[in-house]
Every structure is written in C-alpha cells, then in structure tokens.
Amino acid sequence: MSKLVRRAIIPVITLLFIVCITILEKTKTNTTLYDKSSEIFDSISHFTFTSPHGVKPSPNAETPPSHQASGQSDTDKQNAEHEEPKEEVPDPCTIKNPLNQGFIDLRGLSAMGNEMKPLPWKSRGYDSGKNFTVGICSNPFKQSHNELNEIQDSVNSTMIGAYYVDPATNKYVSMGEYSSHPIFRGRKLTLTYENGSYCNAYDSTSGARLRKSTILTFTCDREMSAKASVSYVGSSNDCTFFFEVRSHHACPTAAKANNMAAAWIFLFIFLAALAVYFSGGLLYKHMKASRKENRVASKA
C-alpha cells in the first residue's frame, strides 16, 4: 500500500471517530438503538403503505352520523387535554436536580452501595449529650433487636433510619423511619425521616402526641478524602433533629448511559476502519494494475 493511502486512512478513521462521538453525545441516554430503528421502520412503513389520498371506504361500509363523529372528536380532545406526560420514576436514593438537571446518586452512602450491608454513620451531639447513628436511605442497625425490650415505644426496628440510646432507659430511641426518596427544597437536597419514637410534645390543634423526625441536608464536597461526614446541627424541642451530610456523592454526576449503545457505536467505528483499510488496498491494487496496462499498451 502506498504512503499516500496510508496517510489518508488515519485522518478518515479519526473523522469517523469524531462523528460517532458527536452522535453519541447528542443522543439521549434513555434512547436505545432499538428504539431508533423502530422509529425509522415506522416512518418508512407509513410512507410506503399509506396512500397519499387516504384509504377509500368500501361501498358497503356504513357512514356514521356527523354528530357521532363530532362527539368522538370532542372526547378525544378532552382525553388528550387531561392526559399528563408520564414522569420518570427515579431509582431509590437518587434524584435529578430540577434546576440544572444534574443527576445525584446517594446510594454509595447507603446499604445499596455496600452490598446491602448496613452502613451506619456516627455523629456526636456535643452539648445535647447524645451520640447519634444515622443511616442514609437504609437501616443503620447491624444486628436485629427486640422491639419490646430494646426499642423505645416498640417501633419497628427494621424501619428505623436514625437513632440514639437513651441513657435513662438504655433503650434505642427511633428518630424516624428511613426514606429512600430525597427531595430538593429550593437549591438544598434533603432527606426526611418521620414517625419515630414519641416526643414529649403535643400537637396544638389535635392534641395528639408528636413523634420524632430527622432532616438530613446534603452538601456537595469534592475535596473530601472520606466518603462522607455527618454533622449534628441541632434539634427542635428534642423532637426534630437536623444533620448536615457533606460528601462527593452529593455532587451531580452523569446518569448511567446505555452501555449497549456505546458498544454498537464502537463496533461501527471498527467496521468503518476495516472498510476504509480494505477499500484503500483495493483502490491501490486497481491503480497499480491500470498503470501496468498503460505501460504495456505504450510499449506495444
């Protein structure tokens, strides 16, 4: 193969690679090649099998009354107006920022990112005189506990999301049932646990006894060497507890892309490179053969 052809192959392969990467970036992550091919096939079928003048009704077909057709169209319009677009249901312990569409995955701080083994986070209460244990999107208990003898107010121990030990009774006090659905409140990412053990406070309107709850706020910190740092902020009437969680897991990242689509793209690049290589070789052989024929013809 000549030097000219060899030099031309590398730029062509590079150009194909850039084009494929651009297509991959512009393609949505939730759109697969199968969906794209289905859309193309549907479009081709529509233009191929649909008559430009529409389908003529058979002479034996009955024509519905005009008022029925108008009523049906009105019903379709009403259904279309009331039909709401389906929202994507995020995975547990994940969320997409509604302001900048950044994807945040907190599963690395929970049992989901620890082979479903409990991952408790300790936090010192300082002036409160308590030491807290918090689980993120999961239960922090490493062992099972007797709800009657070890858990205050006999709450479900498997649903506890945060707790502390009461020094007076030596029992675990639930600070709320864990939740795996973080919520953005403005620009702040929060996770709320509710329905814990009873507080020494009552609702002013209903008179019902209140239960303990916990609010976790997450702050993005890319410079931390540790996974996370859970800090106790304070409490309200020893009933609602506030914590700040600093972690790089609270920083927005790219959602998981379609690996199969990427594999198909790279396969396409490889096949294109092979096609360019062999076509260049065939072109070179053809040019060489034509030169020989011209030389033979000139000598004759």
Side-chain angles (χ1 to χ4, degrees):
M1 187 178 294
S2 65
K3 293 182 179 180
L4 180 61
V5 176
R6 290 178 181 176
R7 291 177 181 177
I9 288 176
I10 296 177
V12 170
I13 295 175
T14 305
L15 180 61
L16 288 173
F17 180 77
I18 294 173
V19 170
C20 293
I21 292 298
T22 305
I23 295 173
L24 182 62
E25 289 293 333
K26 291 184 178 181
T27 304
K28 294 182 179 179
T29 56
N30 58 351
T31 303
T32 61
L33 293 179
Y34 178 80
D35 297 333
K36 286 292 182 183
S37 60
S38 300
E39 292 176 4
I40 295 172
F41 180 76
D42 293 340
S43 301
I44 295 173
S45 302
H46 174 74
F47 287 111
T48 304
F49 300 107
T50 304
S51 172
H53 301 289
V55 180
K56 295 182 179 180
S58 61
N60 297 328
E62 296 182 359
T63 304
S66 59
H67 64 87
Q68 291 182 1
S70 61
Q72 184 67 24
S73 61
D74 294 340
T75 305
D76 294 340
K77 289 180 180 179
Q78 292 178 359
N79 293 336
E81 291 176 357
H82 291 291
E83 185 178 356
E84 297 180 355
K86 294 182 179 179
E87 296 182 357
E88 294 183 6
V89 179
D91 293 332
C93 215
T94 65
I95 192 173
K96 185 179 288 186
N97 192 328
L99 299 178
N100 55 21
Q101 301 301 313
F103 180 77
I104 297 178
D105 189 351
L106 301 176
R107 289 175 292 188
L109 304 177
S110 69
M112 304 175 195
N114 194 35
E115 299 178 352
M116 299 310 295
K117 298 177 182 178
L119 187 60
W121 297 93
K122 304 291 184 179
S123 180
R124 187 176 177 183
Y126 296 103
D127 56 338
S128 68
K130 303 180 180 70
N131 291 323
F132 304 99
T133 304
V134 179
I136 298 176
C137 297
S138 57
N139 186 294
F141 279 134
K142 292 186 176 181
Q143 299 176 353
S144 60
H145 295 275
N146 189 305
E147 297 173 356
L148 295 176
N149 301 326
E150 299 182 73
I151 309 297
Q152 185 169 310
D153 299 323
S154 301
V155 297
N156 188 353
S157 61
T158 61
M159 296 299 296
I160 292 177
Y163 68 88
Y164 65 89
V165 178
D166 188 353
T169 61
N170 201 28
K171 288 186 176 182
Y172 295 100
V173 180
S174 171
M175 298 159 58
E177 297 179 352
Y178 72 86
S179 170
S180 59
H181 302 288
I183 298 175
F184 266 99
R185 301 190 184 278
R187 295 182 178 273
K188 204 66 177 177
L189 178 61
T190 65
L191 187 63
T192 304
Y193 299 163
E194 297 178 332
N195 297 323
S197 300
Y198 285 108
C199 308
N200 293 325
Y202 296 86
D203 188 275
S204 58
T205 56
S206 63
R209 193 175 180 183
L210 300 177
R211 288 182 175 270
K212 295 182 185 294
S213 59
T214 299
I215 297 178
L216 306 176
T217 60
F218 294 86
T219 303
C220 171
D221 192 340
R222 300 183 186 275
E223 298 180 357
M224 287 189 62
S225 58
K227 262 190 173 184
S229 173
V230 181
S231 302
Y232 171 71
V233 177
S235 65
S236 175
N237 299 324
D238 200 33
C239 195
T240 302
F241 301 85
F242 302 90
F243 296 87
E244 181 187 21
V245 183
R246 303 183 68 89
S247 173
H248 64 272
H249 288 279
C251 301
T253 59
K256 291 184 178 180
N258 189 349
N259 295 328
M260 289 302 298
W264 279 108
I265 291 293
F266 285 111
L267 179 61
F268 173 76
I269 294 173
F270 178 73
L271 293 177
L274 287 180
V276 171
Y277 178 80
F278 287 111
S279 61
L282 292 175
L283 179 62
Y284 174 73
K285 290 181 180 179
H286 178 71
M287 293 173 60
K288 192 174 181 180
S290 62
R291 287 179 183 177
K292 286 184 178 180
E293 291 178 358
N294 293 333
R295 289 177 183 176
V296 172
S298 62
K299 288 181 180 179

